[in-house]
Amino acid sequence: MKIAIVGGGPGGLYLAALMKGLDATHEVTVWERNAPEDTFGFGVVFSDETLGGIESADQVIYRKMESRFARWTDIDIEFNGHPFTVGGQGFAAMSRKELLRLLQERVAELGVTVRYRSMAPDVDELRSAYDVVVAADGLNSTVRAKYADFFGTTLDHRRNKYVWLGTDLVFEAFQFFVKETEWGTMQIHGYPFSEQGSTFIVEMHEDVWRRAGFDRTESEELPPGTSDEYAVARIKEIWAKELDGHEILTNNSKWLNFTTVRNTGWHHGNVVLLGDAAHTAHFSIGSGTKLAMEDALALAACLHENPTVEAALQAYESERKPVVESTQRAAQASLEWFENIGMYTGQEPAQFCFNLLTRSRRITFENLRDRDAGFAGLIEADFARVSGSDQVAPAMFQPIRIGELELKNRVIVSPMDMYSAVDGLVNDFHLVHLGSKALGGAGLVMTEMACVSPEGRITPGCAGLWTDEQRDAYKKITDFVHTRSTAKIGAQIGHSGRKGSTKLMWEGLDDPLTEDNWEVIGPSPLPYGAGCHMPREATRADLDKVVVDFADAARRAVDAGFDLIELHAAHGYLLSSFLSPIANRRVDEYGGALPNRLRFPLEVFDAVRAVVPGHIPVTVRISATDWIPDGNTEHDAVEIARAFIEHGAAAIDVSSGQVAKEEKPAFGRSYQTPFADRIRHEVAAPAGAKVIAVGAISSYDDVNSILLAGRADLCALGRTHLYNPQWTLHAGAEQEYRGPGADWPLQFRAGRRRPPTSRTDKIPPRLALLRADQDDQVHVRWTPDRATGSA
């Protein structure tokens, strides 16, 4: 096979070595525009998984790398002078210059042709002369740019500024320095890579960067290889205490904005992308070099195992793309966290530290407990202290108040339509459904949306609160919950708007009724999606009636004995559609700018709040983003939440989407939590309101991690409780928690012990049990002997 590789960085050279090692008859040529000794950056970090793959593929390279590794397990975080250390992580790093030298030596040994100081021929020429052309030419790949339409390339340029530096201060662990300056929050990402030095990355928001005067050199064209000496001098001054008299090292060090590279396809004909040419992931979660070498491992294996180039490249893309996309999702969360770091500087130091560690949502509280139980205990104890609790317990079982309503824990059964009412009347099904969830341990159980009028239903099977008979049916359920459990129960009230008059979910989700349908209204005559009902634009008389209907429904909810009332202003129903510019195109005082779009939902809220006694909290569920271009975004959600809180909302329940069929949600683990996080820190917490996170939260570890990081005050889970009505009680048993936050009904108490699993005769090693100092294994520091250069 003839293989052309454009780019002689670690990814390209490693691929060349692997292919030549697999078959010495392969003709492999690498073009690298720089000299062999030219390299940018300082250290590169590897995970144990990556190192395992390198060791299996080429032990010669692995052994040479291993002998040069700096190894440690700790992460040190210093936040405004408060130091924290968490152990048990596991890192290996080395000099990028050393890594390149090792790879250059290896490809030379194997007979790879490397043309240094040479621009590669035009890619069309290469693809006709070679079986495979590999674009390993980095972030600014010329090969990718030529075929950008085929690859589906997108470049996401971010706002934070960062500069890649080094220092002769040898850190003992991964080091985060975060501090408030007179210009705003700045942070350092640092880690050792040898016995002589460490990587030292300075990062801050562009606004902070400008206020600090770093933009002084913005218009200067610095030649290649030249560093921004003014920036270096300012950084040395600002971070003098942390540097402790040590020097800053430069290597083509200039201010940059991170660019996330994504491609919908990774190969075009016999041209294939590798490393930064294919993808980038923010440096705060790992190394681009690591990803590039993992790409090389996968591509080499696929080329070796498949009968044709096309099959090999397709297999490579199928194997690596999902892995990289998962990494990019985590990197995006981490990147955005650092862009918004100033939002968290009001947190208690321990919570801030935990928030930083779990920013990508890949690391959770249980991960940290497994790695460093002492640190996990510190975080739980600090959360209890800040919560005003005298009991250290899992965060989900700490009590909380929404307004004047006290809940025994922070778990909510999310509203879920059951489509099982008859003429709006709930029945024994709803009693069993909601009653079982209350017996299952949740602090608050929410009804499905109780519609405020017959024409406000979504389907014929939706529950309602437009008659006294419906009120009395609900009273039977609230009496059961209050008599048989210590849970509280809340009623969600709403109006379907343009999404009404549809079939039951299992007969066709959002499909319009073809008989016995009713007229639907909306802010504008725009359907929810293709094939949906065309709503009539609501008149003033319609709006007046809706306000009265909501107030009457809220009054009935109070009389039915509900402890909390939630206004449904999410998911494209009537109030949500007024809030969204996608559904609301009115030209009167209820349309246009956001303050106008808020006007009618606030009228409804005020009417509800006026008829509900002050001791019963009124909350609001919103869609924090429409997931549609030109729709509402998380920034609009902050202002929407602010408006409701100013009008008296005790909590904001933060969901997203379902405003129009053409939405494109970014689904993923806890994917809506960042919206709750922003609303909590920017609006709710300062006003004393609570925030509820919802969406793909499925484990007690997710719940505890969200709460401990301060991303929300409570978590609402829906499908999880359908799978297991006793989920909250079981979560307590699995965490070995017994207390008021997970009180088992007397009738169930005999089952509160976790059932035994299958028997095992395996005997744990006694010497491991007798080991004197387990902590030595958790906290490993990089402390090389500076005199001898040995660790």
Side-chain angles (χ1 to χ4, degrees), residues 309-570:
V309 167
E310 176 58 30
L313 300 188
Q314 186 58 56
Y316 161 70
E317 184 173 327
S318 298
E319 176 182 334
R320 281 297 292 166
K321 197 163 179 282
V323 175
V324 167
E325 287 174 346
S326 175
T327 300
Q328 286 188 311
R329 284 192 295 272
Q332 187 73 9
S334 180
L335 175 157
E336 291 176 2
W337 192 91
F338 280 109
E339 287 182 339
N340 297 304
I341 193 170
M343 193 166 70
Y344 305 111
T345 53
Q347 288 187 313
E348 291 289 317
Q351 186 173 66
F352 177 90
C353 176
F354 180 78
N355 196 352
L356 186 155
L357 290 168
T358 58
R359 65 195 180 277
S360 73
R361 303 196 291 274
R362 278 192 162 184
I363 295 177
T364 66
F365 179 71
E366 288 301 314
N367 295 151
L368 292 176
R369 190 202 296 277
D370 289 344
R371 298 171 185 185
D372 189 342
F375 176 80
L378 181 153
I379 296 299
E380 269 191 335
D382 189 76
F383 186 82
R385 177 187 64 80
V386 173
S387 301
S389 172
D390 56 3
Q391 180 188 38
V392 176
M396 63 187 292
F397 293 119
Q398 292 289 1
I400 192 171
R401 285 181 179 271
I402 300 178
E404 296 183 27
L405 177 66
E406 183 164 350
L407 304 178
K408 64 183 177 181
N409 62 45
R410 300 180 181 226
V411 177
I412 299 174
V413 176
S414 201
M416 294 174 284
D417 283 320
M418 293 290 107
Y419 308 105
S420 299
V422 179
D423 294 327
L425 278 170
V426 293
N427 49 52
D428 287 347
F429 173 86
H430 299 87
L431 173 63
V432 173
H433 163 57
L434 296 171
S436 67
K437 307 306 181 292
L439 292 173
L444 175 64
V445 178
M446 294 298 301
T447 70
E448 63 191 84
M449 183 173 82
C451 302
V452 299
S453 62
E455 63 274 13
R457 291 175 297 165
I458 309 165
T459 75
C462 288
L465 267 172
W466 67 82
T467 71
D468 291 347
E469 186 182 8
Q470 293 163 352
R471 173 202 63 197
D472 296 342
Y474 266 122
K475 184 73 164 59
K476 182 179 178 183
I477 295 173
T478 61
D479 284 348
F480 177 89
V481 171
H482 293 146
T483 303
R484 296 293 186 176
S485 79
T486 54
K488 304 299 182 183
I489 184 166
Q492 185 188 75
I493 59 174
H495 187 296
S496 60
R498 67 179 187 167
K499 294 178 74 175
S501 191
T502 62
K503 298 176 181 177
L504 302 183
M505 182 182 68
W506 42 84
E507 294 176 354
L509 182 64
D510 296 322
D511 287 352
L513 290 173
T514 53
E515 56 185 45
D516 298 325
N517 58 306
W518 56 87
E519 183 182 48
V520 297
I521 61 170
S524 302
L526 298 167
Y528 173 64
C532 295
H533 288 303
M534 176 66 73
R536 177 173 59 78
E537 182 172 300
T539 65
R540 178 69 258 179
D542 292 325
L543 300 184
D544 290 342
K545 180 180 183 302
V546 168
V547 171
V548 171
D549 289 341
F550 267 94
D552 288 345
R555 192 179 292 108
R556 290 189 180 94
V558 172
D559 293 342
F562 284 102
D563 304 297
L564 175 147
I565 294 171
E566 179 171 274
L567 196 69
H568 200 339

Side-chain angles (χ1 to χ4, degrees), residues 690-701:
K690 300 299 189 291
V691 166
I692 302 164
V694 61
I697 302 169
S698 57
S699 70
Y700 66 76
D701 190 20

Side-chain angles (χ1 to χ4, degrees), residues 772-787:
D773 192 358
Q774 293 274 355
D775 196 54
D776 285 348
Q777 307 303 312
V778 173
H779 296 290
V780 176
R781 315 284 288 180
W782 174 243
T783 53
D785 185 330
R786 270 56 164 193

